[in-house]
Amino acid sequence: MVNVLIMRNYLTKLEFDEIRRRVAECSASTEAKTLLLEETPLFDAEKAAELKRTVSAIVGCMNSVDAEPREDLPCIDGILPKLAVSGGALDIDEALAIGLFVERGGRLKHWLYMRKAGKISHGSWSNFLSEKLDEIPDCSHVAREVFRVVNHDGAMKDLPEFQKINGRIRNLRRELDRAVSRYTNGDEAGMLQSTVPSQRDGRLVLAVKANFRGRVKGIVHEVSATGQTIFIEPEEVIEKNNEIFIETRRLDAEILRVLREMTARIAESRDSLLDFHERVVRIEVLRAKARYSFETGGVFANNRQEESGEFVLKQARHPLLGTSAVPIDFTMKDGVRVVVITGANTGGKTVALKTVGLFVLMNQWGLALPAAEGTTMPFFDGVFADIGDEQSISQSLSTFSGHIANIAEIVAGATENSLVLLDELGSGTDPEEGGALAMAILDCFIGKKARLVVTTHHSALKNYGYTRPGVENASMEFDARSLSPLYRIVMGIPGESRALDVAFRNGLAPTIIATARFYLDEKRSDVSALIAGLKRKQAQLDEESAASEAETIRLVEEKRKIILEELRLKQKEAELAESGLVNLRKLLEESRKTLENLVRELKEGGVSREKTLKVKEFLRDFEKSVNAAAEYREKSAEELNSFKQKLEKTERNQEIAFEAGVEVLIGEWGQRGKIVRKEKNGAFLVETGSVKLTFPADALVPADRPCKPQKPAVLIDLADKNGAQLEVNLLGMRLEEALSILRRQVDGALLSGLGRFAVVHGKGNGVLRQGVHEFLRKEPYVADFHFSRPELGGAGRTEVEMNV
């Protein structure tokens, strides 16, 4: 297995870090986000397959009509160790965080259990997920204990232990107010700077004008900066303040006692709570992967356990390019170990290489892929990549030396179950030596039986792809008329570099291009002509293959019609035989009675024994005729069964011809459509126009001519980083920029059904915070907003609730 630090370098080159960041943003837990940002793909085939089944099962839950509980899970990792301290006490915010985590974690577990119970069926359920849910302990009693003392808004409940003390404090405050009112409402009011009492060190004081200091007896607490105001606690108020102070301290002591007792009761379940916390965070990690897969609308790749299995990408779109991504098709057939991709500069070779590598990493991290159904890939025990400029000044490495050092490292670590991606193999040095070295490197990896995808401009490698078994050429399609790349992969054919065309398109002087063509024509080999001829041959083969497939479908249908007609004739013949047999049996019975009567009459008339024998012989012959008719009927029935079996076999062959991409006519009304995929019940999902419907196989007939082109589908970039998020960070932004982002967040929340999110604006001088609150106050789709709890950011963070 490759070194972890080295593997992380490959993950970065393939931009897997950005995928992890986007998945982490789908999590409702800070702790789960941390785990996601540290996780790497699984290189154990069984574990990776089980992970995919688990994430797929959770995606199925998200497709249900029941709302998914998408509540924030508070971070309690730093709180739980306090439960191990004997005699310790959690503060109110810490207790609230534990209670909310247990309550919301329990709802998440219950939601998944509801899906498991089969109330809404969404495909196969993961045994691994079932085991994980069963292993989560029941900690609901912890939440009940917390919320017996604390409200869900974080305030202490008015327990019986507090009511008597709170009553005394309320009475003392009323008495204090009456004592102060004698100054604020009486003749002494003129001596005060303000008739509103102030607080100093938790004690009620009066703001007395300096020149009246001697008129108000009491304790001086403070003097204003100008010296014009003196804050005095009058003698009549001192005792009341003292009593309130004493009762307040008694209340604080009683609250501490209640919290300490509550903490002790929670600590009794510390081990279960630690286990609950760890397992719920792990489930949240899986849900974040499922949420990303659900929102991006991807498909889960089919698994190939065998190392020589087919590797197929259908309509694969690089997940970081959004709607600008051009779908590519890539195939590494059974027995093919190396694919050499050539083509024009800026034609998309490197993007295609990264797409292949990134899809493997995402697949083995349990994610759905932005591709079409039918995407299939094996599991790899490592993904190695040499992509980009490896030049290093600090290590005295040139670009070529950096690539070679990286490849040497890959050679040492790759196995027969590894995927190796090499970009611009053999570049950065003399073309002849670079081509020879590139072929030697390919020989080495073929000897290791590793899977290898290579991009290059060396003509020697194009020929290498034709002469070596297990190696296939591919190219990036290029529009010769517009001199622009099409970013699509053509399997089986090498591509031309088109360096002069690309240089001209990018503004190089025409005189330089003409001179280059002159030099090129002098030493031009026939490689380009060979490639052009191969392309024409490939196009011809594609046309012939399509025509052959259409003819095969037509012949199968004709054969089916002929056999069906024969079956009808044989069935009719069997019916006639059955009818004749019935008539014969009836005639036999009637004849037997007639003859018996005849024999009796003959005997009575003195007929001889010879005549009687002849009558009986006649009867036996007649019975043989009837039996022969019966045998004929049985033979007809056997032939009928034989034709039925032949018809069923033909229909099965007809069914086999129905696969993804085949064009068909639907039912008696003859609507044309295209098969999308075969369903589990044997029916087929057919796309006709903009509608997809399911039809049984006997309702479909292969079409004998291509369908009219359908209206292209509109791609929606659900993976856009500007979509609705659980938390929006506006720190460091100008107000106008921040409000623009906030407006897109509100729109995204409405579209995605996100009922609640948070806005981080900081405290600062309050301009950004005031602007955000003013915007939210005017927004009709915002139901409510308020500052976060202190442990989540307090006045620097606002919680927003939507009307969705």
Side-chain angles (χ1 to χ4, degrees), residues 702-726:
D704 57 358
R705 60 183 183 277
C707 288
K708 297 180 181 178
Q710 303 292 335
K711 184 177 180 181
V714 179
L715 297 177
I716 300 177
D717 184 16
L718 294 177
D720 189 350
K721 64 182 179 182
N722 293 325
Q725 304 175 18
L726 293 174

Side-chain angles (χ1 to χ4, degrees), residues 579-589 622 625-626 629-630:
S579 176
L581 179 62
V582 171
N583 293 334
L584 282 173
R585 289 190 184 280
K586 184 177 180 182
L587 176 62
L588 175 63
E589 292 299 325
F622 189 77
S625 299
V626 173

Side-chain angles (χ1 to χ4, degrees), residues 587-598:
L587 176 62
L588 175 63
E589 292 299 325
E590 293 176 352
S591 299
R592 185 183 296 277
K593 292 177 182 179
T594 302
L595 288 172
E596 288 177 352
N597 292 333
L598 180 62

Side-chain angles (χ1 to χ4, degrees), residues 536-548:
R536 288 194 297 272
K537 187 66 175 177
Q538 181 68 32
Q540 181 181 352
L541 289 174
D542 289 342
E543 291 178 2
E544 292 176 357
S545 176
S548 175

Side-chain angles (χ1 to χ4, degrees), residues 386-680:
D386 177 51
I387 299 174
D389 188 357
E390 295 296 324
Q391 187 179 47
S392 173
I393 296 176
S394 63
Q395 299 180 21
S396 300
L397 291 176
S398 66
T399 299
F400 176 73
S401 299
H403 282 298
I404 294 303
N406 199 12
I407 291 173
E409 184 181 85
I410 295 173
V411 169
T415 71
E416 63 180 349
N417 294 322
S418 299
L419 175 66
V420 179
L421 309 170
L422 303 179
D423 191 27
E424 302 293 354
L425 181 60
S427 63
T429 188
D430 176 76
E432 186 173 351
E433 293 184 8
L437 182 59
M439 288 189 289
I441 291 171
L442 293 183
D443 286 343
C444 175
F445 282 113
I446 290 175
K448 282 178 166 283
K449 297 183 180 180
R451 291 290 188 105
L452 186 64
V453 184
V454 177
T455 67
T456 185
H457 287 284
H458 285 294
S459 297
L461 292 186
K462 302 175 186 178
N463 185 55
Y464 183 93
Y466 279 112
T467 58
R468 289 299 302 266
V471 182
E472 184 175 7
N473 278 311
S475 60
M476 302 305 299
E477 198 169 359
F478 189 87
D479 189 341
R481 287 177 294 181
S482 64
L483 302 181
S484 58
L486 299 177
Y487 306 108
R488 292 194 294 265
I489 297 179
V490 180
M491 302 301 298
I493 301 177
E496 298 178 88
S497 293
R498 298 276 185 175
L500 301 185
D501 293 333
V502 174
F504 176 76
R505 181 167 168 265
N506 283 275
L508 196 62
T511 55
I512 298 177
I513 301 297
T515 304
R517 293 192 187 281
F518 172 76
Y519 286 128
L520 187 62
D521 289 339
E522 286 187 332
K523 297 183 178 180
R524 178 182 296 275
S525 68
D526 60 349
V527 173
S528 295
L530 173 64
I531 292 174
L534 287 172
K535 286 185 176 179
R536 288 194 297 272
K537 187 66 175 177
Q538 181 68 32
Q540 181 181 352
L541 289 174
D542 289 342
E543 291 178 2
E544 292 176 357
S545 176
S548 175
E549 184 178 352
E551 180 65 14
T552 299
I553 294 173
R554 187 187 67 79
L555 290 175
V556 169
E557 178 61 19
E558 288 294 328
K559 187 175 181 180
R560 177 179 176 275
K561 291 179 180 178
I562 292 171
I563 293 176
L564 183 61
E565 186 61 30
E566 290 180 358
L567 176 64
R568 288 172 182 162
L569 292 175
K570 288 292 181 180
Q571 193 167 6
K572 183 65 176 177
E573 187 177 349
E575 290 173 358
L576 292 173
E578 179 69 25
S579 176
L581 179 62
V582 171
N583 293 334
L584 282 173
R585 289 190 184 280
K586 184 177 180 182
L587 176 62
L588 175 63
E589 292 299 325
E590 293 176 352
S591 299
R592 185 183 296 277
K593 292 177 182 179
T594 302
L595 288 172
E596 288 177 352
N597 292 333
L598 180 62
V599 169
R600 186 171 56 252
E601 292 175 0
L602 289 173
K603 283 182 177 181
E604 291 175 354
V607 178
S608 66
R609 181 174 177 276
E610 183 181 354
K611 291 182 180 181
T612 304
L613 292 176
K614 285 183 179 181
V615 171
K616 290 183 177 181
E617 184 179 357
F618 165 77
L619 187 59
R620 283 195 300 270
D621 291 342
F622 189 77
E623 188 172 3
K624 287 180 182 179
S625 299
V626 173
N627 291 335
E631 290 177 2
Y632 175 77
R633 182 259 179 191
E634 292 175 358
K635 182 179 179 183
S636 299
E638 290 177 358
E639 291 181 358
L640 178 63
N641 290 333
S642 174
F643 276 107
K644 285 183 178 179
Q645 293 173 1
K646 193 174 182 181
L647 178 63
E648 290 173 356
K649 181 177 180 181
T650 304
E651 288 177 340
R652 284 197 298 271
N653 293 338
Q654 181 74 8
E655 182 178 337
I656 293 173
F658 289 151
E659 57 185 16
V662 172
E663 296 171 351
V664 295
L665 299 177
I666 304 168
E668 298 179 355
W669 42 292
Q671 176 67 35
R672 298 181 67 84
K674 180 182 290 185
I675 293 178
V676 178
R677 65 172 180 270
K678 184 177 179 181
E679 302 290 18
K680 293 182 179 179

Side-chain angles (χ1 to χ4, degrees), residues 27-30 33 69-75 100-101 104-105 287 726-727 756-758 792 797 799:
S27 173
S29 164
T30 303
K33 288 180 182 178
R70 297 182 62 189
E71 303 164 296
D72 288 343
L73 293 173
C75 180
L100 290 176
F101 185 93
R104 294 171 181 178
R287 181 170 67 160
L726 293 174
E727 182 177 274
R756 185 172 182 175
F757 61 87
L792 296 178
R797 186 175 184 266
E799 304 279 351

